[in-house]
Amino acid sequence: MEAPGTSCKDVQAQAKAKRGEVQAKIEGLIRVRVSLDRLLGACPGKGSLADCAILEAIESAENSGGTS
């Protein structure tokens, strides 16, 4: 499975790069979780959809081109 000319140092560098990618994904997921927690905290869970804080936040994010 070794590629010619590949050293242990090369493999370690690839593993470090992959770890960085994984860490970035984790940080992104944490931001999503925090945003969802904030939305859930603002939502009474009852009433009409016209007054839904979660839907308002989603609509606002879509209109601004970003995410909550």
Side-chain angles (χ1 to χ4, degrees):
M1 186 162 174
E2 289 183 27
T6 300
S7 69
C8 188
K9 187 173 184 171
D10 295 332
V11 173
Q12 183 186 45
Q14 291 175 351
K16 285 181 179 181
K18 181 56 77 175
R19 185 189 183 285
E21 292 173 18
V22 169
Q23 185 62 38
K25 288 179 183 181
I26 290 169
E27 290 169 4
L29 289 170
I30 289 171
R31 286 191 298 274
V32 170
R33 184 187 67 202
V34 167
S35 294
L36 287 170
D37 287 345
R38 194 174 339 124
L39 288 172
L40 289 168
C43 178
K46 58 185 174 184
S48 72
L49 288 180
D51 298 325
C52 178
I54 295 173
L55 291 176
E56 287 176 17
I58 293 170
E59 183 177 291
S60 176
E62 288 175 349
N63 289 337
S64 68
T67 57
S68 291

